[in-house]
Amino acid sequence: MSVDIKPLEDRIVVKSLEAEQTTASGLVIPDTAKEKPQEGEVLAVGPGRFNDTGTERVPLDVKVGDKVIYSKYGGTEVKYAGEEFLILSARDVLAVVG
């Protein structure tokens, strides 16, 4: 999936993955009881922030296509072209999955 949003500096655009709809025992979880998803796929990556001297960009640890786990309340939710995305700082990414 490609997106026309180009993040700046050390920000990334993430498409949240859907949370589990049922528990392990088969109980269906209603929408009101679901937690915010904390896992998503990276769709776009910014060029990176400049280092302290301002001479070089610091590369990011994630790339397009990575599945990541991010901070529960991090980032900004954005609706663009009828879809919802999350724009996060690379600092809000906790881990790369797989």
Side-chain angles (χ1 to χ4, degrees):
M1 169 183 245
S2 171
V3 66
D4 291 333
I5 300 172
K6 182 179 179 194
L8 302 176
E9 292 189 347
D10 68 339
R11 291 181 179 79
I12 61 174
V13 177
V14 174
K15 177 73 172 170
S16 295
L17 299 177
E18 292 296 318
E20 287 284 326
Q21 304 256 342
T22 58
T23 63
S25 61
L27 296 174
V28 176
I29 302 170
D31 288 339
T32 56
K34 288 183 189 173
E35 289 190 22
K36 279 179 71 173
Q38 290 179 260
E39 188 174 346
E41 181 179 354
V42 177
L43 300 179
V45 178
R49 191 177 282 274
F50 280 102
N51 63 8
D52 292 337
T53 61
T55 56
E56 296 179 14
R57 288 200 183 262
V58 178
L60 300 179
D61 295 329
V62 296
K63 61 186 181 307
V64 174
D66 282 350
K67 298 225 184 326
V68 295
I69 296 174
Y70 51 85
S71 179
K72 185 178 253 185
Y73 298 107
T76 302
E77 293 177 352
V78 177
K79 192 168 188 174
Y80 178 77
E83 292 193 62
E84 292 187 17
F85 302 100
L86 187 65
I87 299 178
L88 294 165
S89 171
R91 297 175 189 168
D92 290 331
V93 175
L94 304 174
V96 176
V97 180

